[in-house]
Amino acid sequence: MIHPIDLAIVAASLLAVVAFGLWMGRGQRNVADYLLGNRNIPWWALLVSIVATETSTVTFLSVPGLAYAGDMTFLQLAIGYLVGKYIVVALLLPQYFRGQLFTAYEVLDRRFGRGTRRAASLLFMVTRTLADGLRLFLTAIVLKVLLFSESPADAAFDSHLALAVVVMGTATILYTVAGGIKAVVWTDVAQFFIYMLGALSAGAVILHRLSYDWPGLVEYATVHEKLRVFDFSFDLGLAYTFWAGLIGGAFFSLGSHGADQLMVQRYLSARGQSDAARALRLSGWVVLGQFALFLLLGVGLACFYQDRAFGRADEVFPTFIVHELPLGVVGLTLSAVFAAAMSTLSSSLNSSAAAAVNDFYIPLVRPAAPGHTLWVTRGFTVLFGLLQITVGIAGQYLAKSVIDNVMLIAAFTMGIILGLFFLGLASRRAGGRAALVALAAGLAGMTYIALFTSLAWPWYAAVGSLGTLLVGLAAGRFWPDGSINEMEK
């Protein structure tokens, strides 16, 4: 069980985040300020926020395990992510700075109509709630181990795990509801430095605990082929090859950063398109360096635990944190784990509320008072937080491969929505009905691939987007749209 001093450090960090969110929420008068920070957030803060949002607890705890069990071939995905972000800047980012937009799916409204916009927005909200609810569940497992020495794994209902889910979820809801996007972005900045400091501290302790220095570690890693980055084999069933990383990773990044409200909301909060472009481009390089650091931690852990067997590679880094780090550093590193989780979860709540209000509530209700819309947006933020807590509690009834399911859910839907954006850019003929047919076909096709094929998840976004595009182009021959393509103006 965690030492009281380390527990105090973790508790203080959680309370500080909530207090900061409450402080950032002062003086908000309308929904534009709440959801977009009055479009006045500096580029460097958006850069750090993009990186922190990409870095969930799954990333922080699992990526070192990949290098521990294998090598550094996961870094190939980060290379693909970098390429995809540059394509987003050139191809999709200009679409979001034509008019005063609040969500990514308003672009689809301009091209295909309100039905397509709502379908894509609903798909985003459902999958975001499921995936991030499972991320909350994973983080709560760590919190439960810290707070309770016993672990009733075979119980029908684990009340300690449910309590941990509620604690983490409630803390995130409080500062997100109070502060809006400004609280999300600026706490992301603080949380980024917390988890990077935690990772660097863990790395320093690993080197200190080893009986030899950095050159010795490099020699061990070289002998055991831990530093291998590139795998040029072409096997669609393998996730970490050069081609899956470059092509699949680029499409994944196109979907996650070009057609997902979670990231698009940050661009819309920038002072202009050039600031958003700068933040997005540089974030790719920061993520590349960050993943390299996490993988090197895994290499160090492999050297440290040479003769010890673990049931899962994901257990290695958490075990080292709890049992090997010195007093105080344990609390710091665990705060980093929760910082990584809360940065992703808060972004999810804020972006889901933005989609619900702007894509559904305002077009249907047409409220006149700006203050009314602000309170409704906060209400939706609470609602999505409660839904994620529910998913997190239900996570204990799911299969053990929760981490894989998180990535699969994200990749499953990103490609389909990205395909609709491609359709709007590629065709003047396809109308709203063709777009809905393409979306339905994309869902059916990706369901079949996920259930009945061995295709690795990095390829999902590429297959989903291109499949949706091709169906949309074919359907456009039957349901043409005679209007001007607003995405090409």
Side-chain angles (χ1 to χ4, degrees):
M1 194 166 179
I2 187 173
H3 193 279
I5 293 179
D6 291 310
L7 182 60
I9 293 174
V10 174
S13 68
L14 291 176
L15 291 174
V17 166
V18 174
F20 183 67
L22 293 171
W23 181 72
M24 288 299 299
R26 71 197 192 287
Q28 290 179 340
R29 297 178 299 274
N30 54 59
V31 72
D33 193 19
Y34 183 77
L35 292 178
L36 301 179
N38 209 22
R39 304 183 193 268
N40 194 37
I41 297 178
W43 69 268
W44 60 268
L46 293 177
L47 158 64
V48 176
S49 180
I50 290 170
V51 174
T53 301
E54 289 184 71
T55 310
S56 66
T57 303
V58 176
T59 308
F60 190 83
L61 296 180
S62 298
V63 172
L66 294 174
Y68 171 86
D71 48 35
M72 297 181 62
T73 49
F74 179 83
L75 205 59
Q76 297 167 117
L77 277 174
I79 297 173
Y81 294 165
L82 176 63
V83 173
K85 290 179 179 181
Y86 273 80
I87 298 175
V88 170
V89 170
L91 188 65
L92 295 176
L93 192 61
Q95 308 298 329
Y96 299 121
F97 286 88
R98 295 175 180 173
Q100 296 291 306
L101 303 184
F102 281 83
T103 75
Y105 313 112
E106 290 177 72
V107 174
L108 295 177
D109 191 346
R110 293 191 312 205
R111 175 59 181 85
F112 297 116
R114 190 161 293 171
T116 304
R117 168 187 177 180
R118 288 176 177 169
S121 182
L122 181 62
L123 185 61
F124 160 77
M125 289 186 287
V126 171
T127 55
R128 180 55 60 185
T129 299
L130 292 174
D132 289 332
L134 293 179
R135 287 188 174 97
L136 178 60
F137 165 68
L138 291 172
T139 310
I141 291 176
V142 179
L143 183 60
K144 189 200 77 167
V145 172
L146 297 178
L147 297 178
F148 309 106
S149 57
E150 72 274 12
S151 180
D154 298 327
F157 178 79
D158 189 338
S159 59
H160 289 161
L161 182 58
L163 177 61
V165 169
V166 172
V167 169
M168 283 295 303
T170 301
T172 307
I173 290 172
L174 284 175
Y175 82 79
T176 308
V177 168
I181 190 64
K182 287 193 291 187
V184 171
V185 169
W186 289 109
T187 52
D188 280 352
V189 172
Q191 288 161 339
F192 170 81
F193 288 105
I194 291 173
Y195 75 70
M196 287 300 292
L197 181 59
L200 291 170
S201 299
V205 172
I206 291 173
L207 287 175
H208 178 72
R209 295 289 302 276
L210 292 173
S211 58
Y212 39 80
D213 56 5
W214 175 255
L217 175 59
V218 173
E219 181 181 356
Y220 169 86
T222 302
V223 170
H224 293 82
E225 298 184 340
K226 292 290 182 183
L227 298 179
R228 185 175 69 129
V229 174
F230 296 107
D231 179 355
F232 290 100
S233 61
F234 195 86
D235 185 342
L236 296 179
L238 297 178
Y240 306 128
T241 67
F242 177 78
W243 309 109
L246 181 63
I247 302 173
F251 272 91
F252 187 90
S253 185
L254 272 167
S256 63
H257 289 73
D260 192 303
Q261 175 64 16
L262 189 72
M263 291 298 177
V264 171
Q265 189 167 351
R266 280 158 175 71
Y267 315 151
L268 298 176
S269 303
R271 293 169 178 170
Q273 182 179 338
S274 61
D275 274 13
R278 182 189 302 178
L280 184 54
R281 282 194 297 261
L282 291 177
S283 72
W285 295 101
V286 176
V287 167
L288 184 65
Q290 177 182 268
F291 282 171
L293 171 63
F294 291 168
L295 290 167
L296 287 173
L297 284 176
V299 173
L301 290 168
C303 184
F304 183 81
Y305 286 121
Q306 293 181 47
D307 300 321
R308 180 169 177 178
F310 288 88
R312 296 170 56 98
D314 294 338
E315 299 173 1
V316 179
F317 193 27
T319 300
F320 183 85
I321 292 172
V322 174
H323 297 291
E324 303 295 340
L325 293 182
L327 185 66
V329 180
V330 174
L332 172 65
T333 309
L334 290 172
S335 297
V337 173
F338 299 135
M342 294 172 71
S343 66
T344 301
L345 296 173
S346 62
S347 301
S348 173
L349 298 183
N350 194 256
S351 59
S352 296
V357 169
N358 289 282
D359 295 332
F360 289 91
Y361 185 81
I362 291 178
L364 292 173
V365 179
R366 301 186 182 280
H372 170 81
T373 307
L374 176 59
W375 282 106
V376 169
T377 305
R378 284 179 165 146
F380 272 110
T381 304
V382 175
L383 174 62
F384 283 109
L386 295 176
L387 290 174
Q388 288 189 13
I389 288 175
T390 302
V391 173
I393 293 174
Q396 59 188 297
Y397 299 109
L398 301 178
K400 293 184 179 179
S401 57
V402 177
I403 292 175
D404 292 334
N405 290 334
V406 169
M407 299 303 297
L408 188 147
I409 290 171
F412 183 95
T413 57
M414 282 176 189
I416 298 171
I417 298 176
L418 179 62
L420 295 179
F421 279 81
F422 284 165
L423 180 62
L425 291 169
S427 173
R428 288 179 174 270
R429 293 178 58 86
R433 285 179 293 179
L436 290 174
V437 168
L439 189 150
L443 283 172
M446 291 309 301
T447 300
Y448 175 83
I449 288 173
L451 295 177
F452 301 109
T453 74
S454 59
L455 185 70
W457 68 263
W459 291 104
Y460 278 24
V463 172
S465 60
L466 295 178
T468 302
L469 170 62
L470 292 175
V471 171
L473 292 174
R477 301 180 65 87
F478 297 96
W479 294 293
D481 183 4
S483 64
I484 297 175
N485 190 336
E486 292 289 340
M487 295 177 73
E488 292 181 352
K489 277 187 176 180

